[in-house]
Amino acid sequence: MSLSAIADTEIFESSESRVRSYSRSWPVVFDRAVGSTVFDESGRGYLDFFAGAGALNYGHNNPILKDVLIRYLAEDRIVHSLDMFTTARREFLQTFSDAILTPRDLDYRVVFPGPGGANAVEAALKLARKVTGRESVINFTNAFHGMTLGALSVTGNSLKRSGAGVPLVHATPMPYDDYFNQDYPDFFYLERLLSDSGSGLNLPAAVIVETVQGEGGINAARADWLRGLADLCRSHGILLIVDDVQMGCGRTGGFFSFEEAGIVPDMVCLSKSISGSGLPMALTLVRPELDIWEPGEHNGTFRGIAPAFMTAAEAIRTYWQDDALEASTIAKGARVEGRFNALVSSHDDAGLVAKGRGLARGLQFRDGETAEAVCRAAFERGLLMETSGPSGEVMKILPALTITDEELDRGLDIIDASIADVLAA
């Protein structure tokens, strides 16, 4: 790094908490972003295979969404509204109902729980306990659901859990799909515990699951496993919560990541790309009969960011009136899968494993040091991507769904070269 660049980061080093993380992997000062390219203050462009950790499915400063946002602000429209009725809130709710829920035959009430994904998870857990009168929740190995205490209680990562500072209770982890490498039948342990009155497992209020575990290592559950889980919950009177914060809004193909499995969760958590523009916004979708909140029983100051409603509605109108984006995402995902499978074959002594669905993809290495070295080598070549998994052993990519084929291929070429250099060293 140049001396001028070091000087330019002094304020971050001296004033900002050491808890920051992404800036340690990408030690430059970013300034502008367009589509799938982020520019640092010197003007160097970086191809973005990170997309705000999945919050920018439609790219940076998408011109269609940016135009809606600028016009809305220029007209002095409502920005902050808590849960008051506004034209922006009505426009989003009507668009979401007409273009997303109704065509999929989904009947949900929409809770606006706060600005982020953890807020959506907290609301779902809280409501599930209120509805059922039960305390415990089943979560899964390697799950990630957020950094607040309730969300951490159903998260698997030991580093993140250790930051809580208090016992994380009322949650019981169970094996995620293929946790035992198919050595045991699906749900053999959970089913036994639920059916055995001597197991010591209290009947749970809910099960919370990601269809693809993003932070946990791009672990994709099979459709059969998800259907089996839904059946198991139904037979025992347990509510099923799908955390679609990172994998929803088209990341795996369909708008909801559970569509492929043909299941209908009792609750769904959405955030990240629901606003379309990167503005804070989150939803907790609940079946109407579960909507038993008292007025004000769950609230928050920033649950009514009207500009986010406007860009969210426009994103739905632009990208979800037909299946063009879904088909494109599936095709691009297959393109990545082919390239990753080729890397696995060409480095057959490195123990690589290709993982994922749609445009949530990963390459698993033998250890976190190797995966981190690949990401560092890619950054030096002008590509942003991160690691995931319990030891950071998975190189993870979440490119914008709107990325061009040329950009996608260019990024994959950088990955090829970075892996070759790291493994050779």
Side-chain angles (χ1 to χ4, degrees), residues 236-290:
H236 288 276
I238 302 168
L239 298 178
L240 177 60
I241 303 168
V242 168
D243 180 344
D244 235 1
V245 167
Q246 189 168 83
M247 296 301 156
C249 303
R251 175 56 55 184
T252 64
F255 186 87
F256 297 105
S257 69
F258 56 82
E259 291 180 48
E260 178 184 303
I263 63 173
V264 180
D266 297 294
M267 302 185 193
V268 182
C269 303
L270 289 174
S271 186
K272 289 194 182 282
S273 278
I274 186 61
S275 78
S277 57
L279 292 175
M281 183 175 172
L283 313 176
T284 306
L285 309 180
V286 304
R287 289 194 290 109
E289 60 270 29
L290 304 179

Side-chain angles (χ1 to χ4, degrees), residues 305-390:
I305 308 300
F309 294 155
M310 296 299 292
T311 56
E314 187 61 29
I316 291 169
R317 284 192 293 265
T318 301
Y319 295 104
W320 295 100
Q321 299 290 355
D322 56 34
D323 63 357
L325 181 65
E326 178 177 353
S328 170
T329 299
I330 293 170
K332 288 172 183 173
R335 194 186 195 98
V336 176
E337 183 177 15
R339 291 287 294 269
F340 280 10
N341 285 339
L343 281 167
V344 171
S345 297
S346 61
H347 301 285
D348 59 354
D349 58 342
L352 303 183
V353 179
K355 311 174 78 176
R357 277 176 54 202
L359 278 175
R361 295 285 171 174
L363 267 177
Q364 182 174 309
F365 293 83
R366 287 199 173 113
D367 53 66
E369 291 77 13
T370 306
E372 178 59 33
V374 169
C375 289
R376 188 165 54 249
F379 171 72
E380 292 168 358
R381 288 176 167 86
L383 177 68
L384 304 181
M385 58 183 181
E386 65 170 337
T387 60
S388 69

Side-chain angles (χ1 to χ4, degrees), residues 111 121-134 205 239 241 266-267 284-287 289-294 297-298:
V111 180
V121 169
E122 294 283 357
L125 297 176
K126 185 174 172 180
L127 183 57
R129 289 172 170 136
K130 178 179 174 65
V131 167
T132 63
R134 308 173 204 146
L239 298 178
I241 303 168
D266 297 294
M267 302 185 193
T284 306
L285 309 180
V286 304
R287 289 194 290 109
E289 60 270 29
L290 304 179
D291 184 28
I292 62 170
W293 297 114
E294 296 294 333
E297 189 175 10
H298 188 83

